[in-house]
Amino acid sequence: MANNNQAQVQEQDLNELLKVRREKLAALQAEDKDPFKITKYDQTHHSTDVKENFESLEGKTVSIAGRMMSKRIMGKASFCNVQDLKGNIQSYVARDSIGEENYKEFKKLDIGDIIGIKGEVFKTKTGEISIHATELTLLSKSLQILPEKFHGLTNTDMRYRQRYVDLIMNEDVKKTFIIRSKIISAIRRYLDTQGFMEVETPMLVSNAGGAAARPFETHFNALDLDIKLRISLELYLKRLIVGGMEKVYEIGRVFRNEGLDTRHNPEFTLMELYQAYTDYNGMMDLTENLYRYIAKEVLGTTTIVYNGIEMDLGKPFERITMVDAVKKYAGVDFNEINTIEEARAIAKEKHVEFEEHHKKGDILNLFFEAFAEEHLIQPTFVMDHPIEISPLTKKKPTNPDHVERFEFFMNGWEMANAYSELNDPIDQRERFKAQEALLALGDEEANTTDEDFLYALELGMPPTGGIGYGIDRMVMLLTDSASIRDVLLFPTMKPVE
């Protein structure tokens, strides 16, 4: 009962404060000082610009703008702290400098109001770089109370739902998304220097292929057509390779109708690139160079730390076959297993669960996931996957049960998936048939035959290397973020009842 009473008192206090803010706005509007009528403000510097260039700016006039996060009224002179994109800075606001009337208005301002301050750069007696205000302008009135006032923004669910508040209250959150933007910019810079062209391909497709995932389905009214949201970028980018575009990439959203966890969101950012006249070895070299470049450009080092674990992008990345990885971490050599019956027997012995339609290659992959993945902390390329789980990949000439494919791992996570792309249209049709058979058995993640893509392959696609990178996981690693939701500005959330 005591807790209920306390909550009611807090709610009444909050309602009263909200009412006061609206009354302040109404008073300003009655005096023809409505802040919402202001259309622009001449912002000459950000907070950190002033601090980092103090020696050249001392005594000079600057204009900054941002949200007022604190205020100390001390008679005829006061201090306030303004937060902008890059950080925050203190301002000294004195009645004699801005005028008596303006000073009265300043004293009525609320935490959260957005203001512009023009004044001279100086250093206080305590050594804090500040701005001595000569003009102060209310640019937008905040009609809500920032959460810190009562309980702080500690509710994780609410932080994700109200990311705008999270960005205001938590500087580290803003920093994460600034780094995310820099990572994507660095990717583009690197690929541009390598001669790649950025393209855009459809999100709404009649055939969602290129990955093992369940798609979202929708209906296009104008054509009375059932369509899907893409699960991959692959098949359209390969069409462009057929069309003669030798190096292409796309950074875009893909959509998979799957569950939510710390590494999965139903819509996420994928980058895929394709390069003619190379193979999966070329994709390994590109990946190693790309990751190293991004780390140096964005973080200034090739050594990154995630959850206290140090990972070195400066050293050559390890390369190991999937068979050897399973042999190393599970003690099972699939080169010695010749039949599906033997594979099932060893799976039962090692308590690896499988389904009736799983073949030897599927079981090898299940062993890899169960025993090897978690050990792949340092940058590692796991190569030469079984053909059963790689319907779009070239067979290894020396071993047709396996394909020229690798997955790139760090921190026990799959970070990228790459192939020597299958360009034989006859083989590709047979692979699609096998996928259709799995679909008929109830595998909702199986691909369906894409006749237009097969026609493109029949025209002729050169030998090609291709790769897909999970951008969100890359950002997680480089920002030491615990969940994919921490690197998505607006992650998928269940609606509030």
Side-chain angles (χ1 to χ4, degrees):
M1 182 64 75
N3 286 340
N4 286 341
N5 289 338
Q6 187 179 8
Q8 287 174 354
V9 169
Q10 283 188 345
E11 188 173 346
Q12 287 171 358
D13 289 347
L14 179 60
N15 290 336
E16 186 60 33
L17 287 170
L18 294 175
K19 181 183 174 186
V20 168
R21 289 195 177 211
R22 281 162 172 72
E23 288 171 350
K24 287 180 180 180
L25 174 62
L28 288 166
Q29 291 170 333
E31 296 172 14
D32 199 24
K33 294 178 181 178
D34 187 349
F36 298 125
K37 288 185 177 180
I38 294 174
T39 58
K40 59 179 291 189
Y41 184 78
D42 183 18
Q43 180 189 33
T44 64
H45 294 76
H46 282 95
S47 53
T48 51
D49 300 333
V50 175
K51 291 178 178 179
E52 291 170 3
N53 299 286
F54 174 72
E55 289 183 6
S56 61
L57 289 175
E58 185 177 14
K60 293 182 179 175
T61 298
V62 299
S63 296
I64 60 134
R67 191 177 299 275
M68 188 169 71
M69 299 301 290
S70 65
K71 183 176 70 168
R72 293 200 320 274
I73 303 293
M74 303 185 308
K76 298 176 183 178
S78 303
F79 287 95
C80 68
N81 191 282
V82 176
Q83 177 177 293
D84 59 22
L85 171 69
K86 296 183 179 180
N88 60 78
I89 193 165
Q90 178 177 267
S91 179
Y92 173 69
V93 185
R95 185 189 66 182
D96 294 345
S97 299
I98 66 170
E100 190 167 343
E101 189 61 32
N102 288 336
Y103 190 65
K104 283 181 182 177
E105 290 177 1
F106 165 74
K107 288 165 70 174
K108 294 177 183 176
L109 294 181
D110 292 303
I111 303 303
D113 287 348
I114 296 173
I115 60 176
I117 291 177
K118 184 176 182 180
E120 288 186 1
V121 177
F122 79 111
K123 196 176 278 187
T124 64
K125 291 177 182 177
T126 59
E128 184 169 354
I129 295 169
S130 308
I131 296 170
H132 187 152
T134 54
E135 292 179 19
L136 193 145
T137 308
L138 176 61
L139 301 173
S140 182
K141 183 69 186 166
S142 174
L143 300 179
Q144 280 288 348
I145 312 293
L146 291 175
E148 191 177 56
K149 183 72 179 174
F150 284 107
H151 48 72
L153 194 63
T154 55
N155 182 311
T156 305
D157 186 75
M158 192 57 68
R159 284 180 51 218
Y160 297 144
R161 291 184 189 281
Q162 297 183 353
R163 181 67 84 188
Y164 42 91
V165 183
D166 194 21
L167 290 166
I168 293 168
M169 303 307 300
N170 297 314
E171 190 176 343
D172 286 346
V173 171
K174 187 187 289 183
K175 183 180 177 183
T176 293
F177 289 104
I178 290 171
I179 291 174
R180 181 188 175 106
S181 178
K182 288 180 178 178
I183 289 168
I184 293 172
S185 294
I187 291 170
R188 287 192 166 104
R189 279 198 305 278
Y190 181 78
L191 293 179
D192 289 348
T193 65
Q194 301 302 306
F196 281 85
M197 181 170 72
E198 184 173 10
V199 297
E200 294 175 306
T201 61
M203 291 190 184
L204 293 172
V205 294
S206 56
N207 190 331
R214 183 181 176 186
F216 286 94
E217 299 178 356
T218 187
H219 187 78
F220 182 23
N221 293 332
L223 294 181
D224 190 23
L225 183 68
D226 289 331
I227 52 177
K228 301 174 177 69
L229 289 172
R230 66 184 181 188
I231 59 173
S232 166
L233 313 174
E234 180 166 348
L235 300 187
Y236 280 97
L237 291 176
K238 283 184 179 177
R239 285 169 167 90
L240 299 181
I241 295 292
V242 170
M245 294 181 174
E246 294 182 0
K247 292 183 175 184
V248 293
Y249 77 96
E250 180 173 7
I251 300 172
R253 287 281 178 151
V254 296
F255 309 86
R256 298 182 181 179
N257 202 347
E258 300 170 346
L260 294 159
D261 62 32
T262 56
R263 281 185 280 161
H264 294 89
N265 194 71
E267 59 172 310
F268 61 98
T269 302
L270 183 66
M271 182 182 77
E272 291 195 31
L273 63 85
Y274 293 84
Q275 179 178 343
Y277 311 113
T278 190
D279 62 2
Y280 75 146
N281 292 298
M283 293 297 101
M284 283 188 233
D285 294 340
L286 185 148
T287 298
E288 197 161 330
N289 293 330
L290 174 64
Y291 260 79
R292 209 165 280 149
Y293 175 86
I294 293 166
K296 283 181 182 174
E297 282 282 297
V298 178
L299 304 179
T301 176
T302 56
T303 301
I304 65 170
V305 178
Y306 184 85
N307 196 26
I309 299 169
E310 196 171 280
M311 286 164 265
D312 189 355
L313 293 163
K315 294 178 182 176
F317 295 3
E318 183 183 355
R319 301 185 182 195
I320 187 171
T321 67
M322 183 177 281
V323 168
D324 285 344
V326 169
K327 185 177 178 181
K328 180 177 180 179
Y329 295 109
V332 176
D333 186 354
F334 269 74
N335 284 331
E336 302 296 321
I337 294 172
N338 299 309
T339 67
I340 189 170
E341 288 76 22
E342 290 173 5
R344 287 174 174 172
I346 195 70
K348 289 175 182 176
E349 180 186 321
K350 295 287 187 177
H351 308 292
V352 174
E353 293 185 10
F354 59 90
E355 296 175 23
E356 273 304 306
H357 64 84
H358 282 155
K359 297 178 181 175
K360 175 187 167 184
D362 298 297
I363 294 171
L364 167 62
N365 185 55
L366 292 171
F367 266 80
F368 172 75
E369 290 175 349
F371 293 101
E373 274 190 10
E374 63 183 306
H375 299 287
L376 305 177
I377 304 302
Q378 297 303 318
T380 305
F381 295 120
V382 176
M383 309 179 296
D384 302 348
H385 293 49
I387 193 168
E388 291 90 341
I389 62 168
S390 310
L392 298 163
T393 316
K394 267 194 176 183
K395 295 174 185 175
K396 285 185 69 65
T398 56
N399 185 355
D401 289 338
H402 292 262
V403 296
E404 293 193 346
R405 173 184 174 187
F406 73 80
E407 289 174 291
F408 173 48
F409 282 85
M410 286 182 68
N411 193 50
W413 302 349
E414 179 203 334
M415 304 298 294
N417 186 22
Y419 312 152
S420 295
E421 300 298 333
L422 179 60
N423 61 343
D424 177 346
I426 298 168
D427 189 355
Q428 182 63 81
R429 184 175 290 280
E430 291 304 311
R431 306 273 192 102
F432 275 142
K433 279 184 182 176
Q435 288 287 300
E436 295 271 12
L438 291 175
L439 193 68
L441 290 170
D443 185 352
E444 294 179 326
E445 295 186 349
N447 283 202
T448 55
T449 302
D450 188 328
E451 290 292 346
D452 182 75
F453 175 64
L454 287 171
Y455 177 75
L457 285 189
E458 287 171 358
L459 288 174
M461 185 174 88
T464 298
I467 188 164
Y469 298 90
I471 298 298
D472 307 302
R473 289 187 189 176
M474 181 190 288
V475 176
M476 285 175 67
L477 270 187
L478 296 179
T479 59
D480 197 9
S481 298
S483 169
I484 192 171
R485 292 184 176 193
D486 296 325
V487 300
L488 296 173
L489 279 167
F490 299 100
T492 303
M493 305 289 291
K494 187 177 180 180
V496 178
E497 292 294 332

